[in-house]
Amino acid sequence: YTDAFPNAFAEAIDVCQSPVTTGRRIGVISPTGGSGASTITAAMAALFALVRTDQIAGVDFTPAPSGLIARLPAGEGDEGLSAGLGRLGGMTHVDTDDVEPAAYGPSPRPRLLRLNYAATDRLLEPEEVAGLHRGLSRSRAVSVSEAPRPALNPSLELGDFHALVVALSATLGARTANSDLLREVSRRVPGVPVLPVMVDSRRSPARTKAHLSAAARKTLRELGIADSVL
């Protein structure tokens, strides 16, 4: 009777099931590789596909190989897409309702479309990415996308997302990288809501996690952002 989790979880699921008029686009970004962005992206896409009755998309905008496929496989031996995001190249008006999921490999969940770069794909141009985002908003209730750091993919505009999840690394050496990313996101897209999440992917000591979380909250306060870190 004293455990708050069941009610909090039920309330969170209610929010995940809220109706939308325009598809919501959520970006997940991290300061370094291995910080947990792929895991969060896969988990969120799987959860939305589980609790909603409409169409969901999980997108990996990072170059191949895809971390999303490894964490959200459709079955044994699933190597992902035979042709990925590169198939949408040349389009500035993409309607993902017209995208046949079977052409992108087996589906890991009902109603869930995975999109990622295949090994031979070129990176999409900015106008192609913008066209894909417009298509996702029209045809998918929620899309969750792993976004590379801006310096690694300048064609991806962080302002195209309705919210950003920032996966902060729980390793001691990532303190500066965590703060730098929070500052960069705040500078580039000051109007986009940011949700910082400390991901303990390497089982760091509790003291280290507390130290890094405090450092991230200090940076958030300096930026005038709510200083909560999940």
Side-chain angles (χ1 to χ4, degrees), residues 1-8:
Y1 293 104
T2 60
D3 187 355
F5 174 78
N7 287 337

Side-chain angles (χ1 to χ4, degrees), residues 43-172:
M44 291 179 68
L47 176 65
F48 281 120
L50 177 67
V51 303
R52 296 188 66 91
T53 58
D54 38 25
Q55 302 298 308
I56 307 298
V59 186
D60 189 353
F61 281 108
T62 62
S66 171
L68 182 65
I69 298 300
R71 291 159 179 80
L72 199 60
E76 187 176 351
D78 179 14
E79 297 179 357
L81 316 185
S82 56
L85 286 173
R87 289 190 59 178
L88 304 177
M91 302 181 186
T92 57
H93 181 82
V94 177
D95 189 343
T96 53
D97 269 342
D98 297 332
V99 173
E100 175 54 51
Y104 288 81
S107 176
R109 300 282 191 281
R111 301 180 301 279
L112 175 58
L113 171 68
R114 296 178 311 182
L115 294 172
N116 61 269
Y117 285 111
T120 57
D121 284 346
R122 64 171 178 82
L123 296 181
L124 298 179
E125 297 296 330
E127 62 272 12
E128 295 169 333
V129 175
L132 175 59
H133 281 309
R134 288 193 294 269
L136 288 171
S137 278
R138 283 191 297 270
S139 59
R140 304 281 147 172
V142 182
S143 58
V144 187
S145 304
E146 180 177 354
R149 298 185 298 283
L152 298 181
N153 190 358
S155 67
L156 185 65
E157 178 54 60
L158 295 182
D160 285 337
F161 294 108
H162 296 107
L164 285 170
V165 176
V166 181
L168 304 175
S169 174
T171 56
L172 196 57

Side-chain angles (χ1 to χ4, degrees), residues 140-207:
R140 304 281 147 172
V142 182
S143 58
V144 187
S145 304
E146 180 177 354
R149 298 185 298 283
L152 298 181
N153 190 358
S155 67
L156 185 65
E157 178 54 60
L158 295 182
D160 285 337
F161 294 108
H162 296 107
L164 285 170
V165 176
V166 181
L168 304 175
S169 174
T171 56
L172 196 57
R175 172 177 174 169
T176 300
N178 287 344
S179 295
D180 287 348
L181 180 60
L182 289 171
R183 291 190 179 95
E184 183 174 15
V185 168
S186 177
R187 176 179 61 82
R188 284 177 175 265
V189 285
V192 176
V194 173
L195 177 65
V197 181
M198 183 72 64
V199 184
D200 186 16
S201 57
R202 295 186 173 91
R203 299 193 177 187
S204 299
R207 183 175 179 179

